[in-house]
Amino acid sequence: MPAIVEKSFPSAITGERKEEKLKVLMVDKAKCTGCHQCELWCGNEIGSVAKDLYLAINEVPQPVPRVFVQGKKFVLQCRHCPDAPCLSACPNGTMRTDPETGVVYVHEPTCIACWMCVMVCPFGIIEPSSSLKVAIKCDRCRNMGYPICAEVCPTQAISLQERPNPSPT
Amino acid sequence: MEFIQKKTADSAIEVYLTKAASEGISLTWDRFEGQLPECGFCETGLSCRDCLQGPCISHPFRDASKEGVCGKDRDIMGAQSLLRLVIKGAMTIIAEADELSAEIAAGKTSPVNPSQADFIGNDLARLLGNGTANVLAELPAPLKENWQARGVLPGGTLKDIFKASQKLEGGLAGVEELLLRGVKAALLACMAGKLHGRLKKALFGAQSPTKIEIGLGVMEEKQANVLLVGTLSPFLKTKILQAAQGRNIKVVGVATEPLLAYGTISPVTNYAAQEIPLLTGAVDLVVAGDRYVNPSLVKIARASSVPIVYTEALGADGNYDALSARIMEMAQQSFAVRQGLDRRVNPDRQTAVMGFSGGQVPARAVADALQEGQIKGLAIISGSGNVKYTQDRFLVAMTEDLVKRDILCLSTGEASVTLGKYGLLAPAEVDKYCGRGLASFLNSLGKDIPPVLDFGPGENGAALDLLIAVSGVSGKSLVDCPVVACFPEANCVSEVVEALWYVAHGVTTYFWPALPVTGSPQTMAALNEYLQTSFGASLPVPTDKRLEPLDRSRIILKHLKIADASIVTQGGHAWKRT
Amino acid sequence: MRYVIIGGSAAAISAVESIRSIDDKSTIDLFSDEETPLFSRVLLPYYVAEELTKPLLNFRGADFFEEKSVTPHLGVKVLAISPDERSVQVQDGVYAYDKLLIATGGNPIVPSISGVNKLGISTLKTMADAERIYKYPAKRAVVIGAGSIGVEASISLQRRGTKVTILEQLGQVLPTVFDEESAAIIAKRIQAIGVEVVTGEKALEFVGDEQVKKVITDNREIPCDLVVLAVGVRPAVELAVAAGLELGAQGGIKVDELMRTSRPEIYAAGDVAETHDIARDASFINAIWPCAFEQGHIAGLNMAGTRTPYAGSYRRNSIGNFIGIPAISMGLTQVNSCATGSVADEYREIKRKTRDGYRKIILRNGKIVGAILVGQTQKAGLMSMLLQKQVDVADALPVLMSNSLSFMDLLPIIRRNADKFTETEFRELIDTGL
């Protein structure tokens, strides 16, 4: 698994570390009230076809949010790992990295629902949608202005920040 | 998150929005932006806080959280969200009727018609006690029988309101049962509200059409202005008006009933913009009750050193003579301090004729005009304004479209004030706004008849009474008459109650914004089909946020079988991302 | 530096990417006996099912070789490796290397059953195989072997309207992938699709003139016009054996933790390589896509001059959307069958069956060495991480077995075992803002 590699060298091709450019969604556990608004609006804005909550609620198949409010009031979405295990598990290049931003995303038209990515994601945030027949995960709203979960969070527990600089290894 | 939507259609108000922004004063619109996006679960009726194990939600997109701790699913949550509003709204309406009755019993005044007042007071007590009231006996027999058969005939506060509230505590009531409980509570409130209206009539005499000025321009820059806000005792308001006589003090109001037997209280604006009068600098004293009064008013008044008299506190001064004298004194003192400050009142004002609830519109004439096709239908226009929409835009544009198409519009409460601001209650404007048929019908009613007829507070039921009378003289049930009720910009729970009782009478009602039931497919369906089957009318919940005013009035015209209702949709969400 | 790579699938391509992430100057010659490169073998059943067209089988774009400055030799068979000359021989010449990667994968096993050479009998390993089966106008098919490829191929054929019987000589479907209970759930699903499932029976003979007409087993005859052989693969070690490279106990090319063979300048990765299996704690061939990709990656990094040890392999299988519910399995499937290692080891099995789901964890000395998830599989990756890192989870079993398991629940475990993670990994896991 690539994640075990001690990667202490810069990429010869880009000459710099990709992750320096990458902004990630950070979650402040103390601020999360577990209100599920991020899940709701992510499901509506990203997951649904209608993008209108009144209609999305009754959509079949059920829209899938990319963010998870977990047990003890904590939000989790894809971390966009610099060495993402899902990238090497994907057997047909459906899981991709945006070279500009480092965002890891599912290229849905080619996803064949083999769930290999689900099998290796250490965070458990890839949802195998049997009804939609695609693996669903956060793409950090790469086609939108700003991540919806961070935008709607009433306590600003979710925020978009620079990935912390890698400590020397 | 930025809210990209024009805030108000009222140019007089707009002036002060800029002023508020430059002075850093937060207004309704700013606070609404701060709330966006509003909680999606509450907005769609998918939340519940009825016990201490919660709060719970029914998550539309997560299988693990479809049901609350107790097992309430989305349909029960949706139906109960509606019931919760109805119970609260019904209690408000009942409380107001009861308060007036109590004030009469306490001897606050001598009624114009003492025996009638006594009779109505007793009838109200019986209605609220066990439902055996004369007001129910008067109902058209088929209507009453249907209500009886459906189990929604009012049976008193304990059976209708308290029992309905028990339904929120658990149990097996399904969507339809919950909806009927709501109807039952609404009908009790309807009857109480109706008696409240009659009580006023017995106290002060029948209302006759009255000329009144509406708009910020009614305030005086060079004298003290007392602003009455919200629902206040008519006795207190009368005392205040009397006390102001000959004192060079102007008494104006917002979100308060403008017509009194003694005189009028000019509305400076409508509910939605109630903070704005304070921004003129010309308000010297605020007298406020509870209902319709936004807490923000206190903060803005304090910030601009305007004293406030709160009339609803426990143990508040019940001696209205003393209180009104003190109010005058305070107003003069305040004006003495404040007259040197910046007082700039936008001069916009409109003449309006209000108060057609006293029998000036004969049911026979309306029925004949309908029969002859002079007018095409009747519409009750209600609703007090909602920040979710550009202030006044929907209410005014939709009403304009309806009167243009020869629909006789009966407006109530705050909706009347709103329409008045735009000249729709001005007799001179009939030809400008109304279709030819409607114009000639209005002219046939007498002199000084405006395009839209104000029927006083919606909860007093005068507009509904006219509809019932029209159906009576036409020999048709309301279900078969071209009638409709419409709340283009509703905001408060009593309006939800009114909507439900209109439907129970057989008047289909269009209500905006969407009631908090949209997350429940069963409740949505029941508000259409089940109500239609039960009462011959429905309460459809329109969910398309993109509908423009004319799209909406087309829906209503289509219901009245008038226009080819091709809906043009445009625009987008009420809130947008930056 | 001259790199030569034999093979054109996951391990080979992954190695190319890793080499190029460090060294963009040296030459890379890649030899593949498949004419169609860059396609994903594990997806061939999807192609047969008409769920994927040919271009969608590709796991890298058509310009991959150009972009990575690789000289591809496609459809070119490597005839021999000369370790002493450091060169490989092909039909039209000899190519010298400084570093060689053998990623020749596996050969499908053709069982020695009478009549196995008749028309209408095929393996499913190459693009040519897939096309042959795809174009074959079969009415009735028998799939021999109920491993992953066998199961997926039978469902694919059944979906296309061919009546399929799947024949497995062991007592359950997916015998090396799932345990009895989970296999039963999956078998039910396969049957619901219309496939006839026959387990515990062996194919004895293929009957027909030129063309196969029926399959005879211990106790039945199954008429058919197509037979798909899916009894597994053997590592393609011919070149390695001829070159004198050492093999492992399982018959794969033996490699060390840097993926080097017994000749340090020759590396091996993927289905042909025998590595240390974390779950079994023994040398093993894990012929699965993710392992091939990882090993190619590690081999590539080491060939390019870094020292990057491989943490070890472990089996991971996902049955995909073929059966309507997700099913994932990793490591050992049951305590008895696969266990090796010391007698002092203490094994435990915890399982839970729900209406349409199943979850099982196998522990060795408190550490996960196997897991099966059917139905609720979203958190499978969490198990995978815990298995790979071999951290003690004995006190977290209720939460691991719960459907509401979340990453949050693992944080205390990860913190406690910080030493098992590299600093980068640890930071990635913990830096969620927690």
Side-chain angles (χ1 to χ4, degrees):
Chain A
M1 190 182 294
I4 62 164
V5 177
E6 297 270 6
K7 212 174 177 184
S8 53
F9 44 85
S11 159
I13 293 167
T14 59
E16 62 184 326
R17 281 171 192 268
K18 208 182 256 178
E19 58 259 48
E20 283 173 2
K21 284 195 223 161
L22 177 62
K23 280 191 172 178
V24 285
L25 287 160
M26 300 294 273
V27 180
D28 185 340
K29 192 180 159 198
K31 287 184 184 167
C32 178
T33 63
C35 73
H36 294 267
Q37 293 296 327
C38 51
E39 270 184 342
L40 184 75
W41 293 107
C42 175
N44 180 60
E45 293 290 320
I46 314 298
S48 83
V49 177
K51 317 280 179 223
D52 180 333
L53 187 59
Y54 293 148
L55 304 172
I57 281 173
N58 295 314
E59 229 169 71
V60 179
Q62 178 173 299
V64 182
R66 276 70 168 154
V67 53
F68 298 85
V69 178
Q70 306 200 327
K72 293 152 198 147
K73 297 190 175 174
F74 184 69
V75 174
L76 197 62
Q77 60 283 80
C78 176
R79 308 306 309 154
H80 303 279
C81 314
D83 270 326
C86 54
L87 282 170
S88 43
C90 180
N92 75 338
T94 283
M95 196 65 77
R96 299 178 182 184
T97 313
D98 184 326
E100 289 290 305
T101 59
V103 163
V104 180
Y105 65 97
V106 178
H107 180 247
E108 289 192 4
T110 57
C111 179
I112 45 108
C114 69
W115 313 146
M116 302 274 253
C117 50
V118 176
M119 192 168 73
V120 300
C121 173
F123 295 100
I125 51 75
I126 307 179
E127 176 140 341
S129 170
S130 294
S131 48
L132 295 166
K133 295 185 182 166
V134 285
I136 294 177
K137 73 176 235 4
C138 163
D139 68 352
R140 229 195 54 205
C141 293
R142 58 193 287 267
N143 296 319
M144 292 168 62
Y146 198 75
I148 186 78
C149 57
E151 187 173 355
V152 301
C153 180
T155 61
Q156 291 168 359
I158 309 175
S159 59
L160 192 62
Q161 290 177 19
E162 299 285 337
R163 188 184 282 276
N165 277 330
S167 44
T169 48
Chain B
M1 188 170 298
E2 202 184 328
F3 180 51
I4 306 169
Q5 176 179 294
K6 192 169 158 63
K7 289 173 176 152
T8 178
D10 185 338
S11 55
I13 298 298
E14 220 163 12
V15 175
Y16 296 99
L17 296 184
T18 327
K19 182 176 154 119
S22 67
E23 290 175 13
I25 298 169
S26 132
L27 298 175
T28 307
W29 296 276
D30 306 308
R31 293 188 298 270
F32 178 57
E33 282 170 26
Q35 291 297 321
L36 289 177
E38 292 174 303
C39 170
F41 302 101
C42 301
E43 189 187 346
T44 52
L46 294 179
S47 58
C48 174
R49 283 179 300 168
D50 281 335
C51 80
L52 302 179
Q53 301 190 99
C56 294
I57 54 168
S58 171
H59 203 307
F61 309 136
R62 283 273 181 253
D63 290 335
S65 25
K66 290 284 184 210
E67 291 179 359
V69 173
C70 68
K72 281 183 190 177
D73 60 15
R74 59 179 183 170
D75 287 311
I76 299 304
M77 283 194 194
Q80 294 193 347
S81 294
L82 178 60
L83 183 60
R84 206 170 291 124
L85 299 185
V86 171
I87 292 170
K88 190 164 150 295
M91 292 195 294
T92 299
I93 292 169
I94 291 168
E96 262 179 42
D98 179 63
E99 275 164 28
L100 184 65
S101 181
E103 286 198 311
I104 297 167
K108 290 273 180 204
T109 188
S110 48
V112 172
N113 189 338
S115 65
Q116 190 67 16
D118 203 34
F119 177 80
I120 296 168
N122 288 333
D123 209 32
L124 179 65
R126 279 198 305 278
L127 174 78
L128 299 181
N130 59 13
T132 55
N134 287 300
V135 68
L136 291 171
E138 305 163 8
L139 290 165
L143 193 61
K144 195 179 164 187
E145 279 158 25
N146 185 39
W147 290 356
Q148 186 101 51
R150 306 271 170 203
V152 298
L153 194 67
T157 316
L158 284 171
K159 281 184 183 154
D160 300 346
I161 307 291
F162 288 46
K163 187 67 183 170
S165 76
Q166 197 190 49
K167 298 287 153 190
L168 303 176
E169 291 296 303
L172 306 180
V175 167
E176 290 172 0
E177 167 80 12
L178 291 167
L179 192 51
L180 288 182
R181 287 285 171 184
V183 171
K184 198 170 188 333
L187 286 174
L188 180 75
C190 176
M191 297 305 144
K194 199 180 268 197
L195 290 174
H196 182 197
R198 290 182 190 180
L199 208 46
K200 283 191 222 166
K201 194 171 166 185
L203 284 174
F204 306 117
Q207 182 65 53
S208 54
T210 307
K211 196 174 257 187
I212 190 170
E213 298 286 312
I214 298 178
L216 286 172
V218 301
M219 285 194 288
E220 302 286 347
E221 285 178 4
K222 300 211 157 57
Q223 71 183 61
N225 294 293
V226 173
L227 180 67
L228 309 188
V229 190
T231 307
L232 298 164
S233 158
F235 304 116
L236 175 59
K237 292 207 285 195
T238 304
K239 292 285 182 199
I240 292 172
L241 274 189
Q242 285 168 342
Q245 279 293 324
R247 280 212 214 218
N248 226 17
I249 292 178
K250 179 83 179 171
V251 179
V252 296
V254 62
T256 198
E257 216 182 319
L259 303 183
L260 288 169
Y262 181 80
T264 62
I265 298 166
S266 280
V268 281
T269 182
N270 54 349
Y271 164 83
Q274 62 177 265
E275 296 159 321
I276 301 296
L278 283 165
L279 297 182
T280 62
V283 173
D284 301 296
L285 179 75
V286 171
V287 179
D290 277 335
R291 194 174 174 212
Y292 289 127
V293 180
N294 288 341
S296 67
L297 212 63
V298 181
K299 291 183 188 134
I300 296 178
R302 287 214 180 113
S304 37
S305 311
V306 175
I308 294 182
V309 176
Y310 177 47
T311 63
E312 295 280 337
L314 280 172
D317 192 351
N319 181 344
Y320 291 158
D321 287 312
L323 180 59
S324 49
R326 192 153 54 86
I327 286 169
M328 291 307 125
E329 217 169 282
M330 285 171 77
Q332 274 167 333
Q333 282 171 4
S334 172
F335 176 66
V337 176
R338 296 179 48 81
Q339 62 181 334
L341 303 177
D342 186 21
R343 295 164 80 91
R344 251 179 290 182
V345 179
N346 185 299
D348 285 5
R349 57 203 278 176
Q350 264 287 349
T351 302
V353 173
M354 298 178 82
F356 287 86
S357 57
Q360 297 77 13
V361 187
R364 166 61 64 192
V366 177
D368 290 347
L370 277 172
Q371 180 71 32
E372 288 156 20
Q374 194 177 24
I375 56 175
K376 302 281 196 290
L378 268 75
I380 298 176
I381 310 285
S382 292
S384 43
N386 190 315
V387 71
K388 291 184 177 181
Y389 308 114
T390 301
Q391 188 200 358
D392 306 342
R393 176 162 175 260
F394 281 93
L395 184 69
V396 172
M398 288 170 68
T399 309
E400 281 177 4
D401 196 34
L402 295 178
V403 294
K404 192 182 289 169
R405 302 238 179 193
D406 295 322
I407 307 299
L408 176 59
C409 290
L410 317 175
S411 65
T412 69
E414 279 295 288
S416 298
V417 173
T418 305
L419 295 171
K421 285 199 298 179
Y422 295 84
L424 280 151
L425 302 187
E429 307 283 12
V430 166
D431 291 330
K432 176 179 162 193
Y433 287 115
C434 299
R436 232 181 280 161
L438 177 62
S440 66
F441 171 74
L442 291 171
N443 289 330
S444 75
L445 292 176
K447 261 181 56 174
D448 284 345
I449 308 290
V452 175
L453 307 179
D454 161 55
F455 268 68
E459 57 259 39
N460 295 155
L464 181 59
D465 280 344
L466 178 65
L467 262 52
I468 294 171
V470 169
S471 98
V473 297
S474 325
K476 289 193 273 190
S477 77
L478 268 177
V479 171
D480 300 315
C481 294
V483 293
V484 70
C486 148
F487 294 78
E489 301 176 23
N491 89 68
C492 65
V493 285
S494 59
E495 286 159 6
V496 181
V497 179
E498 286 173 41
L500 261 190
W501 84 47
Y502 288 144
V503 174
H505 280 83
V507 180
T508 287
T509 302
Y510 292 90
F511 196 92
W512 285 274
L515 290 166
V517 297
T518 52
S520 159
Q522 278 187 31
T523 310
M524 291 286 278
L527 288 172
N528 282 299
E529 288 115 47
Y530 185 68
L531 287 181
Q532 188 72 42
T533 325
S534 306
F535 305 107
S538 61
L539 180 55
V541 180
T543 54
D544 193 340
K545 287 178 179 164
R546 297 165 303 175
L547 294 188
E548 292 292 313
L550 294 189
D551 298 327
R552 289 196 192 171
S553 54
R554 290 302 137 83
I555 294 176
I556 290 157
L557 289 166
K558 190 179 174 193
H559 174 77
L560 294 171
K561 299 186 174 63
I562 291 168
D564 56 312
S566 48
I567 309 294
V568 191
T569 56
Q570 48 182 322
H573 277 278
W575 55 273
K576 291 218 172 86
R577 254 157 262 108
T578 47
Chain C
M1 185 76 78
R2 291 161 299 176
Y3 299 101
V4 168
I5 293 172
I6 311 176
S9 193
I13 298 306
S14 168
V16 166
E17 287 177 345
S18 301
I19 292 171
R20 282 294 180 237
S21 74
I22 296 167
D23 175 352
D24 59 351
K25 299 270 172 352
S26 305
T27 61
I28 301 179
D29 281 276
L30 182 143
F31 296 86
S32 168
D33 50 9
E34 283 253 14
E35 301 271 357
T36 332
L38 304 175
F39 81 90
S40 189
R41 288 190 202 286
V42 294
L43 299 183
L44 290 178
Y46 290 83
Y47 176 69
V48 173
E50 292 182 330
E51 283 190 0
L52 281 186
T53 55
K54 249 193 207 172
L56 291 187
L57 291 171
N58 291 345
F59 64 99
R60 289 295 181 268
D63 52 357
F64 176 81
F65 292 128
E66 195 181 334
E67 193 186 299
K68 298 287 180 195
S69 312
V70 172
T71 312
H73 305 266
L74 305 177
V76 178
K77 199 169 161 56
V78 173
L79 302 173
I81 302 168
S82 308
D84 295 334
E85 279 86 53
R86 297 197 173 184
S87 68
V88 297
Q89 283 106 60
V90 298
Q91 194 80 46
D92 61 352
V94 172
Y95 290 82
Y97 63 80
D98 297 307
K99 294 284 167 71
L100 171 68
L101 175 66
I102 304 176
T104 45
N107 293 322
I109 298 171
V110 177
S112 49
I113 298 173
S114 155
V116 78
N117 292 324
K118 293 195 189 304
L119 279 178
I121 301 180
S122 173
T123 54
L124 179 50
K125 169 75 180 177
T126 61
M127 194 71 219
D129 291 341
E131 293 222 41
R132 195 179 313 125
I133 295 169
Y134 180 79
K135 289 189 182 137
Y136 203 83
K139 292 208 166 53
R140 281 213 58 162
V142 175
V143 174
I144 311 285
S148 294
I149 289 281
V151 164
E152 291 177 6
S154 10
I155 297 174
S156 298
L157 286 166
Q158 185 74 32
R159 286 223 182 108
R160 290 185 52 196
T162 308
K163 171 78 191 115
V164 181
T165 303
I166 186 165
L167 191 62
E168 168 59 51
Q169 66 176 21
L170 296 175
Q172 62 168 77
V173 297
L174 299 160
T176 59
V177 181
F178 287 95
D179 66 353
E180 204 181 325
E181 284 95 332
S182 50
I185 299 175
I186 295 166
K188 230 187 210 169
R189 290 265 173 174
I190 300 171
Q191 283 161 338
I193 294 166
V195 176
E196 183 189 15
V197 178
V198 178
T199 54
E201 276 182 39
K202 217 175 151 180
L204 300 178
E205 192 184 353
F206 299 116
V207 180
D209 303 330
E210 275 197 12
Q211 157 74 37
V212 64
K213 292 265 166 55
K214 58 186 170 186
V215 178
I216 296 175
T217 77
D218 328 35
N219 56 3
R220 79 185 74 201
E221 294 185 358
I222 311 164
C224 64
D225 43 20
L226 172 68
V227 171
V228 177
L229 299 172
V231 293
V233 291
R234 274 196 199 100
V237 292
E238 298 81 357
L239 287 172
V241 169
L245 299 181
E246 198 179 327
L247 297 187
Q250 304 284 325
I253 302 174
K254 192 176 173 186
V255 292
D256 64 8
E257 58 170 7
L258 301 181
M259 305 311 295
R260 290 179 303 196
T261 65
S262 48
R263 298 286 299 224
E265 72 284 2
I266 303 180
Y267 294 74
D271 294 5
V272 76
E274 192 170 321
T275 56
H276 177 72
D277 183 310
I278 299 169
R280 290 164 190 271
D281 197 16
S283 176
F284 203 74
I285 308 166
N286 277 305
I288 57 166
W289 180 277
C291 284
F293 214 92
E294 285 162 21
Q295 292 168 12
H297 179 63
I298 301 290
L301 293 177
N302 288 319
M303 287 163 79
T306 72
R307 191 189 154 75
T308 312
Y310 183 42
S313 63
Y314 58 107
R315 186 190 60 80
R316 273 154 289 171
N317 287 96
S318 162
I319 205 71
N321 208 39
F322 278 93
I323 56 166
I325 54 167
I328 287 172
S329 163
M330 63 193 74
L332 307 185
T333 58
Q334 32 216 324
V335 168
N336 345 355
S337 69
C338 312
T340 51
S342 146
V343 277
D345 287 340
E346 185 212 348
Y347 283 87
R348 274 180 79 188
E349 223 179 66
I350 304 114
K351 49 187 164 186
R352 187 168 57 82
K353 199 171 184 309
T354 55
R355 201 169 41 167
D356 208 9
Y358 181 71
R359 181 174 289 200
K360 176 163 106 170
I361 301 176
I362 300 173
L363 301 175
R364 180 176 56 221
N365 306 327
K367 297 159 185 170
I368 297 182
V369 289
I372 294 175
L373 299 95
V374 181
Q376 289 262 0
T377 60
Q378 196 181 328
K379 305 294 158 57
L382 274 54
M383 309 271 186
S384 181
M385 176 183 64
L386 296 173
L387 193 162
Q388 192 202 20
K389 292 298 171 188
Q390 287 295 292
V391 297
D392 196 315
V393 296
D395 59 349
L397 293 177
V399 69
L400 285 175
M401 290 302 290
S402 151
N403 271 348
S404 61
L405 168 68
S406 77
F407 177 73
M408 273 289 276
D409 301 320
L410 300 190
L411 284 171
I413 301 176
I414 296 174
R415 287 222 174 83
R416 209 164 51 221
N417 291 282
D419 57 318
K420 302 234 179 182
F421 297 83
T422 68
E423 212 170 322
T424 323
E425 279 170 358
F426 188 72
R427 202 187 57 239
E428 270 310 313
L429 290 171
I430 298 294
D431 264 357
T432 42
L434 299 163

